[in-house]
Amino acid sequence: MKNIACTLASVLVLAQPSSALAQASCSSDGTPQPVAIFERFISSDCEACWTDAATPSPSATAGAVVLDWIVPGQAGDEAPLSAAATNDALARLQALGRAPPAATDVYTAAVEGARPARLRVAHGLPFNDYLGTAIAFTPTRRYGAAPDAMAFYLLLVESVPAGTEGTRVGRNMVRNMLQGTWDKRDTLSNSKQTKWMESRSMRIPDGAQPERLRMVGWVQDAQGRVVAAAQSACR
């Protein structure tokens, strides 16, 4: 019942205009598109990496969205950051062809897409331990009717302010991930547009603070280039 309710909620979040859900959802409507994705991968064994004031940051890349992945370490459940470690971090590293770090690893990808490509991410209010989430992508005309296939990432992130939870810098800690591929068989098209959409319920992990949660998403083409990115904001 929880999953059914949250899936229905996420469909509504995606389908309804933002004005209709102003008090019930958060979306990327009206927010600037990130110009880059700056990912920090931190071993759960390395507590000093989390507390380090000299943590790598995209200061030279204005408009980048920053993500913090906690990677399961050698110490397993005994690692100091194990409570926030996720196998999604290992899956993301594997997709990038990178090994799990002993300390901190950084990966940056520029958003190379051109307008009018549009990406929208959204989420509703927490329902028990779940959050209804959604992502929708409308390709730019330079792809023609539709690209052959696009990979998408939708992340549930928790914004951790500097000076809390032991960190000296602000963090966007990845808490959950939905990843998949759209192809032409998935398109919803008419004479005016082609759009891909996905709506799912995501579990809120133990220890996460719901009021800090938001969505970050991006879409990649067959060559792995990020063509659109978005992050939600609550207003």
Side-chain angles (χ1 to χ4, degrees):
M1 183 63 70
K2 289 185 199 175
N3 286 336
I4 293 173
C6 282
T7 299
L8 289 174
S10 61
V11 170
L12 290 173
V13 166
L14 184 62
Q16 295 296 325
S18 58
S19 58
L21 293 171
Q23 302 302 316
S25 69
C26 302
S27 76
S28 57
D29 295 340
T31 64
Q33 175 175 282
V35 300
I37 301 169
F38 188 93
E39 300 176 77
R40 297 184 292 222
F41 296 89
I42 304 166
S43 170
S44 64
D45 294 330
C46 188
E47 185 173 13
C49 299
W50 177 262
T51 60
D52 188 2
T55 293
S57 64
S59 55
T61 311
V65 59
V66 180
L67 300 170
D68 291 284
W69 302 83
I70 309 300
V71 184
Q74 295 296 320
D77 292 343
E78 300 303 316
L81 304 180
S82 64
T86 170
N87 287 330
D88 289 336
L90 294 173
R92 177 59 179 156
L93 284 169
Q94 183 177 25
L96 294 173
R98 303 168 85 93
T104 299
D105 188 19
V106 172
Y107 178 81
T108 304
V111 177
E112 302 181 27
R115 296 184 183 280
R118 296 191 301 275
L119 182 68
R120 183 177 191 263
V121 297
H123 68 85
L125 295 174
F127 183 83
N128 291 338
D129 297 329
Y130 290 85
L131 199 67
T133 70
I135 182 170
F137 176 63
T138 303
T140 178
R141 292 187 182 89
R142 72 182 179 89
Y143 287 117
D148 290 334
M150 303 292 279
F152 68 89
Y153 284 83
L154 182 62
L155 308 182
L156 177 64
V157 303
E158 181 176 4
S159 297
V160 182
T164 64
E165 311 293 339
T167 180
R168 300 185 186 182
V169 300
R171 304 276 187 180
N172 288 315
M173 187 165 50
V174 179
R175 287 299 207 166
N176 211 333
M177 178 179 76
L178 173 64
Q179 191 274 330
T181 301
W182 291 311
D183 61 32
K184 287 185 176 180
R185 293 172 296 177
D186 300 320
T187 59
L188 301 175
S189 62
N190 54 34
S191 60
K192 295 183 179 180
Q193 74 174 26
T194 298
K195 178 183 288 187
W196 279 291
M197 298 182 291
E198 193 80 24
S199 58
R200 298 285 182 88
S201 59
M202 284 191 179
R203 185 180 181 278
I204 300 172
D206 295 338
Q209 298 187 34
E211 66 274 12
R212 293 178 174 178
L213 297 176
R214 62 192 181 97
M215 308 309 299
V216 173
W218 69 89
V219 176
Q220 301 176 183
D221 64 15
Q223 289 71 45
R225 295 173 299 198
V226 178
V227 301
Q231 55 186 325
S232 67
C234 298
R235 295 180 174 83

